[in-house]
Amino acid sequence: MRRTDPEGHGPVRYGPPLPDDGLPVLPELSAVLAAAASRGGSEPVGGGTALLEAACGYWDRRGLSAGPERVVAAPGAPSLLLALTAALGGDVLVPRPCAAWWAPYARLLGRPVFHVATPAESGGVPDPYALLETVRRVRDEGGDPRLLVLSVADDPTATVAPPEVLHETVEAAAGEGLHLVSDETWRDTLHAPHQTVLIGPAEMLPENVTVVTDLAGALLPPGWPAAVARFPAGGFGDGLRARVLDILTAMGARVAAPVATAAGYALTEPEPVTARVAATVRLHARVAAAAHAAVVSAGALARPPQAGRHLYADLGPLRTALSAHGVGDAQDLEEFLAARLGMPAPGGHRFGDDLGALRVRLSTGSLLTGTDAELKECLSSPSPLELPHVQRALITLKSVFDDLRDDAQRWEPPR
């Protein structure tokens, strides 16, 4: 690597946040938070009764029943993953690429992290044969793999793993004695919910999967940190939950009381929340489809986004054109696109991909600009992509990628 650790770009100190929705906070949610603002304290470690019961109801509606004794709340999914990693011990396996915040927390604990290749059709879930080979190799080298973190609805690739692929991976992990942590932050953001089958690993292997959901994925603004975890039933799950609570206590990881009130309200999914989630998902699905079309038409590669507020693009086919601009790796690409697009464009190396691969995550929330009134109009408009403030951002995106395509064509050798 040409860079060692420049300020603001270190593997731990710099990590791209979850993709924001770019929209004003739901008024009903703001009102709930404001009404609880006089509560200056925090929830008990692991969450209070009302919050945990709301989380149980949320999962029960998704076919994952659990009582409050199997649920834990914390101020964001990172603190939960850190506690789970510390409680389980051993080495950590993650897909390549994976969410930017997964690996740093294992490394902070001094735990080795091994990236496993994903199948061609989706990210988020390791290829089962690659997983078995990685486990074998790690053990042959004296390692102790114990934890596999995966996500069926994935950040950064915005894909949803097919149930048959997930099933093979879950079986492989179970056969090797791995505990699974399923990050289901983006579960409620499927772009085509009636056409996309999403089945989580906890529905396939209930006794060996802990589910983690960061409410910033669909229910809360990212600046209101709250997340919940659902532990497996039985003695192992009980012991793991107890160890996680001990670690959260040592960390002082408590959810602020006003945020807990807002989180509990959102988890009960009243009509204003469900309507807002549905409208937000529809909007971001349209923007993501337009962004995907712009990227692919320029000659880059990207899987069609199926969930979330982002897409993952491979600009390898445009390497010659990018080289003319001094772009030789993912860090260069990140800086090049961020400057030209006027929005964050974290390179694939942030997500565990090779530095030399020209991959980047683009967030659709960054393409939604304007006043609060203009942003609210995006949610209600039947043609949000035709609104001037959205159209301008998409034109800029298309122009930057079209210029790269044109540059690449000029640099092609004559036939």
Side-chain angles (χ1 to χ4, degrees):
M1 290 177 60
R2 289 178 286 120
R3 298 172 182 80
T4 54
D5 193 16
E7 184 64 31
H9 294 285
V12 174
R13 285 180 287 125
Y14 175 84
L18 290 177
D20 193 355
D21 66 10
L23 299 167
V25 177
L26 177 68
E28 289 85 352
L29 201 57
S30 294
V32 170
L33 185 79
S38 60
R39 296 177 58 196
S42 59
E43 293 278 283
V45 171
T49 301
L51 178 56
L52 297 184
E53 288 180 348
C56 291
Y58 167 87
W59 273 312
D60 189 58
R61 290 188 292 277
R62 285 153 182 80
L64 294 172
S65 61
E69 74 284 353
R70 289 172 53 199
V71 178
V72 163
S79 57
L80 286 172
L81 184 58
L82 178 64
L84 280 162
T85 305
L88 287 163
D91 303 340
V92 180
L93 302 171
V94 296
R96 184 191 300 276
C98 69
W101 56 275
W102 289 358
Y105 291 96
R107 294 192 181 106
L108 283 173
L109 294 168
R111 301 288 165 74
V113 178
F114 298 92
H115 289 267
V116 186
T118 55
E121 58 265 45
S122 64
V125 174
D127 176 88
Y129 300 103
L131 176 64
L132 291 172
E133 175 58 23
T134 302
V135 170
R136 182 198 62 77
R137 176 174 54 83
V138 171
R139 286 178 175 152
D140 286 349
E141 295 173 358
D144 181 22
R146 296 188 194 176
L147 170 62
L148 170 63
V149 188
L150 48 74
S151 56
V152 181
D154 185 44
D155 172 19
T157 66
T159 58
V160 177
E164 59 273 17
V165 172
L166 177 65
H167 187 263
E168 291 181 8
T169 299
V170 166
E171 283 194 331
E176 296 299 329
L178 302 177
H179 187 76
L180 279 69
V181 170
S182 178
D183 177 7
E184 301 189 3
T185 295
W186 302 106
R187 181 184 184 119
D188 299 324
T189 64
L190 299 184
H191 294 179
H194 300 298
Q195 302 170 26
T196 307
V197 179
L198 189 155
I199 299 176
E203 296 158 75
M204 299 178 178
L205 191 71
E207 71 278 6
N208 204 33
V209 178
T210 299
V211 178
V212 172
T213 299
D214 197 309
L215 303 191
L219 297 176
L220 289 182
W224 302 3
V228 288
R230 174 189 180 274
F231 291 80
F236 176 83
D238 292 344
L240 178 60
R241 181 178 182 271
R243 292 194 297 276
V244 164
L245 286 172
D246 286 344
I247 294 164
L248 292 174
T249 300
M251 293 166 58
R254 302 169 183 262
V255 182
V259 173
T261 303
Y265 170 77
L267 283 165
T268 61
E269 298 181 289
E271 193 278 333
V273 170
T274 57
R276 178 59 173 270
V277 170
T280 300
V281 171
R282 283 195 301 269
L283 171 62
H284 281 277
R286 292 177 177 179
V287 176
H292 177 261
V295 167
V296 172
S297 67
L301 304 173
R303 297 183 182 104
Q306 298 174 283
R309 304 187 282 259
H310 50 281
L311 71 153
Y312 198 61
D314 184 348
L315 278 64
L318 302 173
R319 183 178 290 275
T320 302
L322 288 163
S323 296
H325 293 282
V327 175
D329 61 26
Q331 177 65 62
D332 295 332
L333 180 63
E334 176 181 297
E335 295 167 358
F336 174 83
L337 287 179
R340 279 156 182 77
L341 295 173
M343 57 184 266
H349 60 306
R350 306 292 180 197
F351 309 100
D353 248 334
D354 293 333
L355 179 66
L358 297 179
R359 300 189 182 111
V360 65
R361 187 190 73 184
L362 301 173
S363 298
T364 53
S366 299
L367 297 169
L368 300 176
T369 59
T371 64
D372 281 359
E374 289 173 329
L375 292 170
K376 288 179 182 177
E377 187 181 7
C378 292
L379 287 168
S380 58
S381 171
S383 305
L385 303 187
E386 297 176 11
L387 297 173
H389 47 287
V390 179
Q391 197 173 58
R392 283 193 298 269
L394 289 172
I395 288 172
T396 299
L397 176 72
K398 189 174 189 308
S399 176
V400 168
F401 278 89
D402 284 351
D403 287 347
L404 288 174
R405 178 199 60 204
D406 295 343
D407 289 347
Q409 291 172 349
R410 280 194 295 269
W411 281 93
E412 281 183 0
R415 296 181 180 179

